[in-house]
Amino acid sequence: MSLPPDLHYTRDHEWIASEGDVSTVGVTAHASDALGDVVHLDLPAVGTTITAGEVCGEIESTKSVSDLFAPADGEVLEINEAAVTDPGLVNSDPYGAGWLFRMRITRTPDLLDATAYAALTEGA
């Protein structure tokens, strides 16, 4: 799956799509492939303040349980109830219906563009 060029990426394999002051967050196809079949999502609660680089939830797959890292500082505004109900959306449509949560960002760390993220994951 090719990387959407309009998104920004973290070294922890999350993506961010910003529209105004609200940003949508998900995990990359690279991450969902490495995880295997996602079977459960533990996402941060609405209203939670999260800090970039810190654990804010978990993604459970048939292979393991992996930490979900906050891609930026801010407040969680909404979680994707459809993905909570059907975690397989993270595998089948990681950049669309499989988004995880929306947040209002107060501070953004250095993020990668699609080219830099592709270089990070090449050979991985």
Side-chain angles (χ1 to χ4, degrees), residues 80-99:
N80 183 354
E81 294 291 348
V84 171
T85 302
D86 181 7
L89 291 172
V90 173
N91 298 111
S92 64
D93 193 8
Y95 301 112
W99 62 274

Side-chain angles (χ1 to χ4, degrees), residues 29-124:
H30 177 83
S32 70
D33 288 346
L35 286 166
D37 294 333
V38 175
V39 296
H40 179 75
L41 297 172
D42 180 17
L43 301 177
V46 171
T48 301
T49 299
I50 58 177
T51 303
E54 292 187 4
V55 175
C56 66
E58 292 181 338
I59 300 176
E60 183 178 342
S61 71
T62 55
K63 291 181 179 179
S64 67
V65 176
S66 298
D67 289 332
L68 174 65
F69 295 94
D73 294 357
E75 179 186 0
V76 176
L77 303 174
E78 176 185 2
I79 62 169
N80 183 354
E81 294 291 348
V84 171
T85 302
D86 181 7
L89 291 172
V90 173
N91 298 111
S92 64
D93 193 8
Y95 301 112
W99 62 274
L100 301 178
F101 60 90
R102 291 198 170 104
M103 66 183 293
R104 181 168 289 112
I105 293 177
T106 57
R107 185 187 70 83
T108 306
D110 291 333
L111 298 172
L112 306 172
D113 63 15
T115 302
Y117 182 75
L120 174 75
T121 58
E122 280 179 9

